[in-house]
Amino acid sequence: MSQDDDKKIAALAAADEVKAGMLVGMGTGSTAAFLIDELGRRFAQGLRFRAVVTSLASERQAQGLGIPVLPFSDVAHIDLAIDGADEIDPQLRAIKGAGGAMLREKCVAASAARMVVIADGSKTVAMLGAAPVPCETLPFAQSFVEGALTELGARVVLRTKDGAPYRTDQDNLIFDCHFGAIADPGALAASLSSIPGMVGHGLFIDEIDGLYLAKNGSVTLKERPVAS
Ligand code: 5RP
């Protein structure tokens, strides 16, 4: 079984949560692409649902498969969001945004009655932080935000693509912030959220309700532990 096989198995398992009449949030990335493909197949077979998407790439894919896509600007609540992750810990806290879509992904996740992550076994970690935390920044505030992130202890790297600064779907910049092991993800998320000019970051603290994790061809569903 390859990593891609596991991504697909996780996506197919989560697709079973999509029921007729639902409004579904579709994530971004290679695992989410397997999900969108599968939901396109199910739509073609007669399952009727509508979608909102978290990136222009996912919008193109979903529309290409004939899935009705609503503008998220018109939507306050959705039934279910399904998305990938870069790292996820035992408390279902995650780092997202290697694909650059974490701002829209977080808006869609926050609007969802339920949000599940789909992942292969390489994504689970005991402690978040081996992956950088992507921080989406207004170009206007680039230098100020870079300084503030450095003060928080990060090694800050401006994301580039084809030799130029990477631009998000909102035309913003991304700083990939290497913090190392993150002892208190909630506190770090709060600090990041308080930086003016930083419009979003990839730490997901309490948005994720369930994790479909596929390892060596078998998938398990882990639900968020109940807070004590
Ligand atoms: C995009 C994301 C993706 O969900 C995350 O990067 C996982 O991607 P992949 O499924 O390709 O490993 O957060 O912004």
Side-chain angles (χ1 to χ4, degrees):
M1 281 283 167
S2 70
Q3 188 179 15
D4 270 358
D5 290 331
D6 279 342
K7 288 180 181 190
K8 191 170 180 180
I9 289 166
L12 263 58
D16 287 345
E17 291 205 20
V18 176
K19 308 294 182 204
M22 276 188 170
L23 181 52
V24 182
M26 293 174 161
T28 295
S30 56
T31 318
F34 284 122
L35 171 85
I36 298 170
D37 267 345
E38 176 62 19
L39 290 180
R41 240 187 313 278
R42 294 184 189 201
F43 190 88
Q45 288 167 356
L47 179 65
R48 289 293 169 257
F49 63 91
R50 295 171 305 158
V52 296
V53 289
T54 54
S55 63
L56 300 179
S58 293
E59 181 170 39
R60 275 192 296 276
Q61 186 187 359
Q63 287 180 333
L65 293 165
I67 297 170
V69 176
L70 305 187
F72 187 66
S73 53
D74 292 347
V75 169
H77 302 288
I78 68 169
D79 297 298
L80 172 68
I82 308 175
D83 204 346
D86 302 310
E87 282 188 351
I88 185 157
D89 78 3
Q91 288 156 270
L92 303 193
R93 300 174 298 193
I95 295 178
K96 290 182 47 53
M102 64 283 173
L103 178 54
R104 293 188 188 203
E105 289 169 343
K106 196 176 284 184
C107 295
V108 169
S111 78
R114 173 169 167 81
M115 193 240 175
V116 295
V117 159
I118 47 180
D120 65 87
S122 71
K123 305 295 182 61
T124 54
V125 294
M127 196 180 252
L128 299 176
V133 179
C135 292
E136 180 160 345
T137 303
L138 284 180
F140 172 79
Q142 177 175 355
S143 297
F144 168 74
V145 170
E146 183 174 11
L149 292 168
T150 304
E151 274 179 32
L152 282 179
R155 181 170 63 81
V156 181
V157 179
L158 180 67
R159 190 177 295 187
T160 59
K161 187 179 178 189
D162 302 328
Y166 174 88
R167 293 290 185 142
T168 66
D169 285 348
Q170 296 71 242
D171 211 22
N172 291 320
L173 302 168
I174 290 182
F175 286 119
D176 285 311
C177 295
H178 300 257
F179 286 100
I182 301 170
D184 189 342
L188 179 59
S191 299
L192 293 173
S193 296
S194 73
I195 300 173
M198 234 268 302
V199 292
H201 60 78
L203 273 176
F204 281 52
I205 303 302
D206 52 21
E207 290 85 356
I208 299 167
D209 299 301
L211 165 65
Y212 286 90
L213 178 66
K215 277 185 188 170
N216 303 319
S218 65
V219 64
T220 54
L221 170 61
K222 176 177 179 169
E223 296 286 348
R224 169 173 286 276
V226 177
S228 50

